Amino acid sequence: DAEITQSPRHKITETGRQVTLACHQTWNHNNMFWYRQDLGHGLRLIHYSYGVQDTNKGEVSDGYSVSRSNTEDLPLTLESAASSQTSVYFCASSDRESPLHFGNGTRLTVT
Amino acid sequence: AQSVTQPDIHITVSEGASLELRCNYSYGATPYLFWYVQSPGQGLQLLLKYFSGDTLVQGIKGFEAEFKRSQSSFNLRKPSVHWSDAAEYFCAVVLNTGNQFYFGTGTSLTVIP
């Protein structure tokens, strides 16, 4: 079955370090998204991509970057981790007129 | 501004009772509409979706939702709640063009025996 795999499931890092969260999908979807989930805020869009070499900023993109070199992967990089970036991160993918399919999330703690 | 509103942050119901979770959206056109459920420590699972046609849609786990254009609403219902339905529920919309999903802030459901 097709799926989205996120790694790691849990990550603890220190303030100022660069961190990369991996996302790999086997749906062959063009569209991929990164969300963060925080209490009281629901899911907020960080970055998204509509295809290879395409990336776009979402509503909370400051301090994050993504790259799309192939269809399957959209890694999310925190350039210099901050405590405010402690959160649960979800990767998702979709195609036109299809639902979003989610990974199981990465819990990131920045100390 | 475009938005999705779930006015109930937290709902508690007794097992076997009926359930209705509210969702309202604010967009210029009719979007595609979705309900997702999230169990603790898990990703989001699709319950049901509305694209067009019959405004009452059936989903998994005995859930249904009704699209009301006049009220810009897409409320989720279940006739008889089970303890396993305790979870966080999210309403989401996506516009007909483009593919950017917008989520409500979620409703947390507690089921008491």
Side-chain angles (χ1 to χ4, degrees), chain A residues 4-11 19-25 32-34 65-67 72-78 89-92 103-108:
Chain A
I4 297 180
T5 304
Q6 292 184 236
S7 61
R9 288 300 310 275
H10 302 273
K11 175 76 175 178
V19 177
T20 297
L21 309 183
C23 174
H24 179 81
Q25 55 105 356
M32 295 184 72
F33 306 82
W34 273 104
S65 64
V66 293
S67 61
E72 296 81 15
D73 299 290
L74 187 71
L76 176 71
T77 297
L78 286 68
Y89 292 86
F90 286 99
C91 180
N104 283 329
T106 294
R107 183 175 296 275
L108 177 68

Side-chain angles (χ1 to χ4, degrees), chain B residues 10-55:
Chain B
H10 186 257
I11 285 182
T12 300
V13 300
S14 298
E15 191 168 15
S18 64
L19 172 70
E20 182 169 30
L21 303 183
R22 296 182 290 166
C23 174
N24 293 92
Y25 64 90
S26 173
Y27 289 95
T30 299
Y32 299 152
L33 300 154
F34 306 83
W35 275 99
Y36 286 84
V37 61
Q38 184 183 28
S39 298
Q42 301 296 314
L44 279 73
Q45 179 185 20
L46 180 70
L47 279 176
L48 46 78
K49 61 184 183 287
Y50 172 78
F51 285 172
S52 64
D54 192 346
T55 56

